[in-house]
């Protein structure tokens, strides 16, 4: 594949297939292919035809990237109900798994170190409000309230960076004790 600047005026990139130079895929088309694959797996395994989805995105995704995600889903007739930050989705799942936190306010930190960046989210789970006399409590309200207090992203720290630091520490030790030449380089 060759990366080329798309001529659609949006300043986006496309991929051209080397095997057939007349074929060009936009980022939305490639993401649409991924959504189509996810839909086909769900239809096969869950025996339902998905039409709606909630999609997780990085906290630092731009408006254009978010819109591109929605556009890509629409290419395969998938309606995006919500775009949710990945650590927020993790916090929500954690709270649902525990079926709320009773009458206590609980603070949770979700830490996600990927290959190229690290994301941290701080959340507060508040207990549900007591129901009014004679009022039935809805399930969604019965678990309490999830509040995002802060999300921080460090695009310079990820698993690869962490691995490189460990490798350099080990190399320093080996060079010093065994008097072998450096392989990784730098100091």
């Amino acid at each position: 594949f060759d990366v080329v600047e798309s001529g659609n005026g949006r300043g986006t990139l496309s991929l051209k297939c080397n095997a057939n130079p007349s074929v060009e895929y936009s980022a939305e088309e490639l993401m649409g292919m991924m959504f189509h694959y996810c839909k086909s797996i769900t239809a096969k395994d869950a025996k339902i035809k998905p039409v709606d989805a909630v999609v997780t995105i990085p906290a630092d995704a731009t408006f254009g990237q978010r819109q591109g995600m929605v556009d890509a889903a629409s290419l395969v007739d998938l309606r995006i109900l919500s775009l949710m930050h990945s650590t927020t989705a993790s916090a929500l799942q954690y709270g649902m798994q525990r079926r709320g936190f009773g009458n206590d306010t609980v603070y949770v930190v979700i830490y996600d170190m990927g290959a190229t960046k690290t994301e941290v989210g701080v959340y507060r789970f508040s207990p549900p409000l007591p129901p009014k006399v004679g009022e039935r409590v809805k399930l969604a309200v019965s678990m309490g309230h999830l509040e995002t207090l802060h999300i921080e992203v460090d695009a310079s720290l990820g698993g690869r960076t962490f691995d490189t630091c460990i490798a350099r520490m080990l190399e320093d030790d080996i060079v010093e004790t065994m008097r072998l030449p450096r392989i990784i380089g730098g100091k």
Side-chain angles (χ1 to χ4, degrees):
F1 287 102
D2 289 329
V3 178
V4 294
E5 187 163 345
S6 183
N8 61 16
R10 296 186 309 162
T12 61
L13 299 177
S14 296
L15 294 177
K16 278 194 174 186
C17 182
N18 290 339
N20 186 353
S22 65
V23 176
E24 185 176 315
Y25 297 108
S26 69
E28 289 86 355
E29 289 171 323
L30 292 170
M31 198 65 214
M33 290 177 198
M34 180 63 77
F35 280 131
H36 176 72
Y37 179 69
C38 292
K39 277 182 67 172
S40 67
I41 289 173
T42 304
K44 179 181 172 191
D45 292 345
K47 308 287 190 249
I48 60 168
K49 183 181 177 200
V51 293
D52 300 321
V54 174
V55 177
T56 60
I57 55 170
D60 55 351
T62 65
F63 177 78
Q65 291 167 331
R66 293 168 192 255
Q67 185 60 51
M69 192 71 72
V70 172
D71 293 346
S74 70
L75 291 174
V76 294
D77 297 323
L78 189 63
R79 187 173 64 146
I80 300 296
L81 299 175
S82 178
L83 296 173
M84 183 181 287
H85 180 254
S86 55
T87 61
T88 304
S90 297
L92 179 63
Q93 191 276 334
Y94 179 67
M96 290 177 64
Q97 184 179 18
R98 293 196 46 157
R99 301 211 190 286
F101 292 91
N103 295 324
D104 298 327
T105 296
V106 177
Y107 294 87
V108 176
V109 175
I110 304 292
Y111 180 86
D112 178 15
M113 179 185 272
T116 59
K117 67 180 173 181
T118 299
E119 298 179 350
V120 178
V122 181
Y123 302 92
R124 176 176 37 226
F125 288 94
S126 302
L129 297 173
K132 295 177 183 167
V133 178
E135 182 180 65
R136 284 181 40 124
V137 178
K138 296 178 183 175
L139 178 60
V141 176
S142 69
M143 287 197 252
H145 179 75
L146 169 65
E147 181 181 357
T148 302
L149 299 177
H150 188 73
I151 296 174
E152 192 66 40
V153 178
D154 185 344
S156 66
L157 175 65
R160 289 186 204 152
T161 307
F162 192 69
D163 291 347
T164 302
C165 289
I166 291 173
R168 286 205 170 128
M169 284 177 32
L170 291 171
E171 183 183 48
D172 289 345
D173 190 41
I174 290 170
V175 166
E176 184 180 321
T177 58
M178 302 175 107
R179 306 281 186 231
L180 295 174
R182 290 192 176 279
I183 298 172
I184 299 173
K187 171 73 180 158

